[in-house]
Amino acid sequence: MSKDIPKQAARQPPMDPIAEARRQWEHHGWADAAAGMSAVTTLVRANQIVTAMVEVALAPSGLSFARFEILRLLGFSRAGELPMGKIGARLQVHPASVTSAVKRLERDGLVGRRVDVTDSRVVLASITAKGLDIVGRATDAVNAVFRRLDEEGVATEDLTRLLNRIRWLAGDAVAGF
């Protein structure tokens, strides 16, 4: 088992708190909602675990996941630049969050910003050579985490399909729904 996903025996609490919460839910008359509560609580806990794994992988690059996502998106773009609004739309984050993250990336010399010459209302963010170098190394580290999930038997394709149902129900555009 991978050193980054703790062995169950080493980290297993004396009792499963989510199973106990479900038992309590059922005991207090909410059996019809117990499975949903258990699923949501499990999802939140799994998110905490995977987020911590990604943060450990990104730590040497000095990037948060949000900053990594922006750099990776810019690195994927044909010209190495995108309008700030398009970054927010593609990452599904508020424009103020994009502006804040891009300002920090710019301060660190990983991204540049400029007004679009064809439309002065549009601000373009572009990845720098330093940004490309850092996001390349950071992508290798994050991909190692993603690969470990599959190596540890996490059915990532099935999990993605199940979680996409929640996204679709919330109104996200989801391929295949």
Side-chain angles (χ1 to χ4, degrees):
M1 188 171 266
S2 172
K3 65 182 174 87
D4 297 312
I5 301 175
K7 291 183 180 177
Q8 285 184 327
R11 299 253 335 218
Q12 187 69 31
M15 144 297 292
D16 178 348
I18 297 172
E20 175 59 15
R22 182 177 182 150
R23 187 185 73 73
Q24 291 288 345
W25 232 253
E26 291 168 350
H27 176 75
H28 285 86
W30 305 313
D32 61 327
M37 179 283 303
S38 183
V40 169
T41 306
T42 299
L43 179 62
V44 169
R45 178 62 184 133
N47 178 58
Q48 292 168 340
I49 293 165
V50 174
T51 298
M53 292 169 63
V54 169
E55 287 174 356
V56 166
L58 288 173
S61 69
L63 296 175
S64 65
F65 191 63
R67 294 174 70 201
F68 167 78
E69 284 186 303
I70 292 170
L71 287 176
R72 187 66 280 159
L73 182 61
L74 290 171
F76 283 151
S77 68
R78 277 178 278 190
E81 68 180 9
L82 289 169
M84 298 278 284
K86 190 170 273 190
I87 293 170
R90 290 199 181 158
L91 297 180
Q92 298 176 312
V93 297
H94 192 276
S97 297
V98 173
T99 300
S100 175
V102 167
K103 281 183 179 179
R104 286 190 310 255
L105 289 165
E106 185 177 35
R107 179 197 66 213
D108 294 342
L110 306 178
V111 166
R113 283 187 302 162
R114 67 178 178 82
V115 174
D116 188 343
V117 294
T118 60
D119 185 345
S120 62
R121 298 169 296 172
V122 176
V123 175
L124 299 168
S126 59
I127 193 164
T128 65
K130 181 180 175 183
L132 281 170
D133 179 57
I134 286 178
V135 79
R137 286 184 275 123
T139 302
D140 290 342
V142 170
N143 279 341
V145 171
F146 299 159
R147 287 184 191 102
R148 278 195 302 271
L149 291 173
D150 278 329
E151 290 167 5
E152 293 295 333
V154 175
T156 53
E157 292 294 341
D158 293 336
L159 180 60
T160 301
R161 213 172 0 271
L162 291 168
L163 295 173
N164 276 341
R165 172 87 176 150
I166 296 169
R167 293 181 51 224
W168 179 78
L169 289 169
D172 280 2
V174 179
F177 278 85

